[in-house]
Structures are given as structure tokens and as C-alpha cells.
Amino acid sequence: MNVKEWTQQLIKPAEIEKYLINGKDFIDERSIFEDLEKYKNPDKQQVRDILKKSLDIKLLTPAETAILLNVDDAELLEEMQETALAVKKKVYDNRIVFFAPLYCSNLCVNGCVYCGFRSDNCSEKRHVLSMEEVRRETEAVIDEGHKRLIAVYGEHPQSDADYIVNSMETIYATKRDTPSGNGFNNIRRVNVNAAPMSIADLRKLWRAGIGTYQVFQETYHRERYAEVHPANTVKGDYRWRLYAMHRAMDAGIDDVATAALFGLYDWRFEVMGLIHHAHDLERQFGIGPHTISFPRMQPALGSFMSENSPYLVSDDACRHLVTVLRLAVPYAGLIVTARESADLRREIIKYGCTQTDASSKIGIGAYSAKKVQQDNADKVQFMLGDERSLDEVVRELAEDGHITSFCTAGYRCGRTGDKIMNLLGKGIEGKFCKLNAVLTFREYLNDYASPETRQWGEKLIAKELREIENTPFFTDKKLLSTFQTYYKRIASGERDLYM
Ligand code: SAM
Ligand code: SF4
């Protein structure tokens, strides 16, 4: 099958239509604009009532979200941030999960005007990693200390669902001896960011043990979507993308991740789109998004629009939108990526975000070649704002009292989908997260941390251990003794024990 034939058979109209309600999708632009207009200048009491609902870990309605998006009183915004922090603490405590992106291919049939991988960008050097290269990249990522990856792919027959499955299997099979020579380290969870697929293809990814499946809608605004995604490309089909997560759920993948690419259209509209998306997933499957990302558009090779869009999002707007997302979808993980500057990332982790990446390289083959992005500008998708190593970011967060977690237990213990949503809502998953965060942080400190990071880490881990010993949830449920045994075994060299 040639490239044209391959692209023509991708979209399955029946796998869009089955999710429509009375022929309509869940993005009703008129109602979004009306909500944003109707709730301008919100009343303080009304805002405070909504904050109470967030503290009960309930998904906010679009109208409530529109109210929060319209707050511009500095004092009230501060109150919202404080509540966001309380919500985060209740659901996720003080842990922050780390991952690394692994770009496997930059061949792409699409023409997204903001992306360095678009097919008409002749300056981009194209490459699809062989399985041997995937293995070498994975080794380099493991050697940084990572346990979770998000594998990223362009949309192309050379990186189709079978290629994705092969690369996932290769990543899972790659092992590295621990620095002490006792046991091995490996990647324990492979998430995937790839183009929307059919249910049959998604089932292949599910069988291969996918963690979370992530697709960014880019923009929920139809007209803008059509402007930046040429109509003669697969990606030009707005609804095929809009229902990517619905198909994933039908394929058995119940950890799904949504996002908009902030900067393509008005940021308030995009937040409303994300909320409607969460509601439709809850309505049709009883499960909302596992995580939400809010990537801001970064400069991309040869893309005028990536630096000149009229909708680029300021740092202040970014703070506001993170606060609102934290409050509106209290159970969802929020991901801030190395696209952002070090300072902003540090700040928004305090009150909103639960996951981040570090030591990230987004050039194809850049981990094993040890290339910084300037050496690799013709193989990257866009430029990152923060290229610091995992060790540096872990240390900074430890200084701020956040415990680094490489936990992958939830998914391996079957705590996914509606089960994890339930546990998150009741604050129970956060408790398991704490135990697993400490266990995986212990592994990291022993195997990879620099002496300076270890110093900060030991202080933090001692505090966490005291807290665990004094928390009735652990002592009453007899979790404490298992945890303490695992902790000792890990400290003396065993790996991958989780609860
Ligand atoms: N090709 C697949 C797709 O488009 O769904 C998946 C991978 S694509 C490499 C991952 C994401 O990168 C896109 O969904 C897009 O939101 C984001 N991206 C593209 N250009 C970007 C830019 N200039 N700045 C920041 N993110 C960008
Ligand atoms: Fe291809 Fe994805 Fe880039 Fe669009 S965003 S050009 S689909 S890699």
C-alpha cells in the first residue's frame, strides 16, 4: 500500500458516528461563547461556593468553569490558587511524577502549520528509529533514572500501529544493570502520544501494555482547526480526532489523556473545550481523563505561526488556566512539560501540576547521541524551554518539599480507569501514591542521584517516613509493616517492589 492509499483508509466514519448524539458532537461553540459571556464579572460568593465543590473533588460544570475563567480580581485569584493547592494536596499529596518523552519518528503525512514535522518542511531531517535504535535510546533514558516513558510518533505508514507495538515491546524488554550491580532497572510504563487510530489498532496497543494514550485536540475551535490543519490531510478531520479517546475506551484503554495546544486559539475557549471533553467521556464511559496537558506552542523550525499566532498565551494566563483546570477537574493529573521555563514550571507545580518531564530530548535519536537541541535543530519538533537534567529538577523540587515519584504501581495493580477515579476522588490513591513515591525515590537516590541531590532527598525521605508512621490509614490497615519491609529490601539493593 502506498502512502496515499494508506492515508485514505485510516478514517472509519462509523467510529465517529457511534459517539454523536442526535448527529451532534460535544463541542457546541455557541454555548461555550454564551457561558464565557454570561458569567463575566462573577460575584465573590458565587466563586467561593464553586471552590467548595472543587474541594469535594467533583467535576465542575461548564458554567462553573466559565465563572472561574472570568475572575480577574487579584485577591480572588489568590484564593483560587490556595484552593487549587488544597485540592492537589487532598488528591495527590506532595508527590510529583516524572517521565521522559521518547521521539521514535518524525516522518509525517500531515501539514500542521505549527509543527516542525509537517510534511512540507524540507529543512527537517527525517528518520524512523530502528528497533536497535529504540533499544539504545531506552538505555540512555533508563541511565538518567527514568521509569516511565511517553513514546511519540509522527503519523506515517512507517510508524503505524504495528511499528508502535514493536517499539513498545522493545522499550519494555530493555534492561540495565543497576549501578551497584544488584538487579536491573527498566521502563515500567510506556505511555503513547500518537495520532488518532481505529478501535482495532488501539486494541493492538492495549494488548502490548500501553499505559496512557494521549492525543492533543490542538484546538477545539472548528474554524481555527481548519485553518491550521489542511483539509486534504488525515488530521484535517476534526471529529476523527475529537473522538480518539472514545475509541480508546472502547478498545479497553481506560487511562486516556487530553490536551489542547495553547496558543492556537483563545485560551479560555480551549479550557471550556477540555471541560466539555471530560464531561462527554464521563457521560459515555463513566471515566474522565486520567491526565490533562496544557502545552503552550513553542517556536518550530520554519513555522511562522508558531511564533506569531495572535493567541499566544502569557505567563499570567498560563497561571490562571492551570488554576482553573486543577479546580475544574480535581481528580485529573495535570502535566507541565519542559516546553515551559524552569521558573514557571517550579511555580505551577506548587499549586496545580502532578506530572512533569526532565532531561528531555525531543530530537530523533538524541538521547544516545547525547545531543543538546541546538545540535539537533533539524530533527526536533519545536524548541524546549528547559533542558535541565532529571537530577537538577529532582533536587529543586526536593528543596520545595515535593517528593519525586517514579511509581507505576497503579496500572500494574489494576488501579486504572473508573477504579483509579474512584480512589482518587476519595483521597485513597494519593495514600498509595505516597508509599510508592517513597519506594521509587529510594531507588533513585541509591542509583542515580548526585551527592547534592541525595542530601536534599534524604532529608525529605526522612520526613515522609515519619509522616507515614504516624498516619492512621497506614497503621490501621497494616500497610505499614509491608511498606517498611519493602523499603529495607530496596535500600539494600532489590528493585521494583510496589504496593
Ligand atoms: N503526530 C501525532 C499527533 O499530532 O497527534 C502525535 C505526536 S505530535 C509529535 C505531539 C504533539 O506535539 C502534537 O499533538 C502537538 O500538540 C504538539 N506540538 C506540535 N507542534 C508544537 C509546537 N510548535 N510547540 C509545542 N507543541 C507542539
Ligand atoms: Fe505530524 Fe503531529 Fe506534527 Fe501534525 S503535530 S505535523 S500530525 S507530528
Side-chain angles (χ1 to χ4, degrees), residues 108-112 114-119 153-155 218 229 235 241 381:
C108 192
V109 294
N110 293 309
C112 314
Y114 46 83
C115 178
F117 293 175
R118 68 193 183 283
S119 59
Y153 307 83
E155 184 165 28
E218 319 301 11
H229 303 109
K235 191 141 167 186
R241 201 164 183 90
Q381 191 189 11

Side-chain angles (χ1 to χ4, degrees), residues 47 84 96 122 188 257 297 304 346 400 418 423-424 456 458:
V47 171
I96 176 101
C122 305
R188 301 168 186 167
M297 193 157 55
F304 178 80
R346 186 175 193 172
D400 292 348
D418 54 348
L423 295 170
L424 283 168
W456 280 101
E458 295 296 354

